[in-house]
Every structure is written in C-alpha cells, then in structure tokens.
Amino acid sequence: MNVHNLPIWSRTVVGAVKRTCTAQPGSEAAHDQRWPRIEAALLALQSSGRHAVRIVDADCGAGTLLLHALGHARQLGFTAVEGHGIDRSSLLIGRARSAARRAADPALGVDFEVADIVAALRDEQDLSADIVICHDLARYRRPEAVRALRNAGRIIIADDAACHV
C-alpha cells in the first residue's frame, strides 16, 4: 500500500513498507519497522497542505518513537505538533516524561499518560488524531478494542503487517 496515495481523512491501516528510513542512524526509531510508514504519513499530510499534526502512540513505552515522530514533524515544517503517549507502565511513562522534558521544544505539545490503552483510545474519539501508532495490533482483536483503535485516528500504523482494522 502506498501511503502517498491514501486519502488522508480516511481511517486506514497502513501496511508494511520495507525501505530505508531517514531516522537518525543508531536511534531506536531507525530500527522500528513502523518508522518508514510514520515518515510517509507525515510527508503525505505535509504535501496535502497541513500545518498541524496530532499523533497518538498507544503502548508507547518510554516514548522514543513518539518523540522522534514529533521532532521529525517539526523538522518537516509543521507549526503545531501535538502528541499523546499511552502505556500501562508507570515506570515507562516516567521515562517518557523525562525524555520529553529533555527534548523541550515549545512548538511540541506532548503528554504521556498511564492508562488502559483501550479506554484511552476511546477518549481520543472526540478529537481523533491524524496518526495513531500502535504496537502488536493482535492484542487489540476484541471488537470494542478494534472499534476504539479505528475511531481514535485517521491513519493507523501498526507493526503487525497482517493487521486489518
């Protein structure tokens, strides 16, 4: 699936893409199989004339991928960049919050929340994100979980290449 041909406002699961990414060499993002799809989605949003982007990372861990995506969006010229990381682990969310403070960029709005991922995704439905990043979509196969994920964002990027929401 070519992300550049996606209708940006449709709810879409972006399929696996195997190509070189422009993440910083050696960074965790450079080794994450979702990175090329995140980068392609940001470029598609940019080419459609968007100046703002909102990214949600369900199961964000220590926030590395989300922070990298937000920084990359800023480098692409997005003037309003917002991110929301969700994880069940208070330890990992603490690390994500620390990393966000170290990366302090006043143009980036980012928050990290310890929460049940499905419940937090349901809360995202009122103001759905442009991009939702999730990890191991197979865990979200329950109908209510799939519905929450589908309604949380316009473009869904998972590392499970076989996923279809």
Side-chain angles (χ1 to χ4, degrees):
M1 177 180 288
N2 184 345
V3 178
H4 295 287
N5 294 331
L6 287 176
I8 295 303
W9 302 114
S10 69
R11 289 180 169 87
T12 305
V13 175
V14 179
V17 175
K18 295 186 188 287
R19 66 180 176 89
T20 306
C21 66
T22 59
Q24 287 292 334
S27 72
E28 285 184 43
H31 300 291
D32 192 304
Q33 64 186 11
R34 297 169 292 177
W35 177 251
R37 293 172 279 155
I38 293 167
E39 181 182 38
L42 287 169
L43 289 169
L45 287 166
Q46 179 194 40
S47 68
S48 73
R50 292 287 305 277
H51 299 284
V53 65
R54 186 164 182 275
I55 304 171
V56 172
D57 189 350
D59 207 11
C60 68
T64 304
L65 185 61
L66 177 60
L67 290 171
H68 190 79
L70 296 174
H72 190 66
R74 187 74 177 120
Q75 289 175 348
L76 288 173
F78 286 91
T79 54
V81 180
E82 183 180 323
H84 182 198
I86 308 158
D87 202 283
R88 289 188 175 118
S89 169
S90 58
L91 176 66
L92 291 174
I93 289 296
R95 289 179 183 167
R97 288 174 179 157
S98 293
R101 281 191 297 274
R102 285 191 305 275
D105 179 341
L108 300 180
V110 62
D111 69 309
F112 290 97
E113 171 186 19
V114 177
D116 173 76
I117 294 167
V118 173
L121 286 172
R122 276 192 209 112
D123 291 343
E124 292 292 331
Q125 294 177 30
D126 292 335
L127 180 61
S128 61
D130 297 299
I131 300 170
V132 175
I133 306 166
C134 62
H135 194 60
D136 189 12
L137 188 63
R139 284 190 286 185
Y140 305 107
R141 288 290 184 212
R142 298 184 328 260
E144 68 276 7
V146 170
R147 199 170 22 261
L149 183 60
R150 183 182 302 139
N151 293 332
R154 294 172 179 92
I155 300 171
I156 299 167
I157 299 173
D159 57 1
D160 180 354
C163 69
H164 299 286
V165 175

